[in-house]
Amino acid sequence: MYVVKSPLSDADLKIVSEALQGALVDLVDLSLVAKQVHWNVVGPRFRSVHLQLDEVVDVARAHSDTVAERASALGVSPDGRAVTVAASSGIGAVAEGWVKDADAVGTLVAALGAVITRMRERVAATGDADPVSQDLFIGITGDLEKHHWMFQAESV
C-alpha cells in the first residue's frame, strides 16, 4: 500500500529507500549499543565516558527520526522494529555485563566506524538518485565522525 507518492523514479526510489532503511537500522542500533555500554561502563573514567555515550545516543536518536521521516516523505514505510534492527545492523555484537571504560571506548570506536563506513557508501549511492537524501547522509556522517574522533582520542 502506498499512501504517499514519491517524486522519485522507481529506480531512484529503490536506491534511496534501501539507503534510508539501512541508515535507520544502523542508527537505531548505534543508540542501543551506546545506551547498553552507558549503563554498564565502570572504571576511573566512568563519568566522562558515561556522559559522552549519552551524547552519541542523543545524536543517533535524532538522526534516526530524521531518516525515518525522510523515508515516509518519499512514500517508504520505515522499519525500526527490533527484529529488523537485529537482522540487518552493521554493528557487531556487544558483550553483556560490566564494561571497563577503556573497553567501552573501544566498543564505540568500532561501532561508530562501522556505521560511518556504511553511511559513506550511502552518500555515494544516493548522489544521483536523490541529492536531498544524500545531503542528509552527509550531515549524519559528519556528526558521527566527530564522535568517532572524540572516542578515538580517548583511546590513546
Side-chain angles (χ1 to χ4, degrees):
M1 172 174 83
Y2 292 98
V3 177
V4 177
K5 174 71 174 126
S6 175
L8 302 177
S9 71
D10 288 345
D12 287 346
L13 184 59
K14 181 178 183 337
I15 292 166
V16 174
S17 65
E18 288 173 2
L20 289 166
Q21 180 59 40
L24 176 61
V25 163
D26 285 349
L27 290 165
V28 168
D29 199 24
L30 179 60
S31 72
L32 295 172
V33 165
K35 197 48 117 167
Q36 178 66 25
V37 175
H38 166 91
W39 292 323
N40 287 285
V41 66
V42 294
R45 296 185 339 221
F46 162 79
R47 181 160 172 75
S48 64
V49 173
H50 183 80
L51 295 173
Q52 194 174 358
L53 287 162
D54 262 345
E55 293 174 10
V56 173
V57 170
D58 291 345
V59 165
R61 286 180 177 167
H63 284 312
S64 66
D65 191 52
T66 301
V67 165
E69 289 179 356
R70 178 69 184 151
S72 293
L74 294 175
V76 176
S77 176
D79 187 355
R81 297 172 302 148
V83 66
T84 303
V85 173
S88 48
S89 172
I91 301 174
V94 174
E96 64 181 80
W98 302 115
V99 181
K100 297 277 295 170
D101 50 10
D103 295 335
V105 168
T107 296
L108 263 290
V109 167
L112 285 161
V115 175
I116 289 165
T117 296
R118 289 166 52 120
M119 283 296 174
R120 286 187 162 274
E121 292 168 359
R122 294 174 185 118
V123 168
T126 56
D128 290 333
D130 182 24
V132 175
S133 294
Q134 181 192 45
D135 186 56
L136 183 70
F137 294 133
I138 290 168
I140 292 167
T141 303
D143 285 348
L144 296 178
E145 286 178 346
K146 178 180 176 185
H147 287 287
H148 191 236
W149 155 60
M150 290 182 173
F151 274 105
Q152 287 181 85
E154 291 251 356
S155 65
V156 176

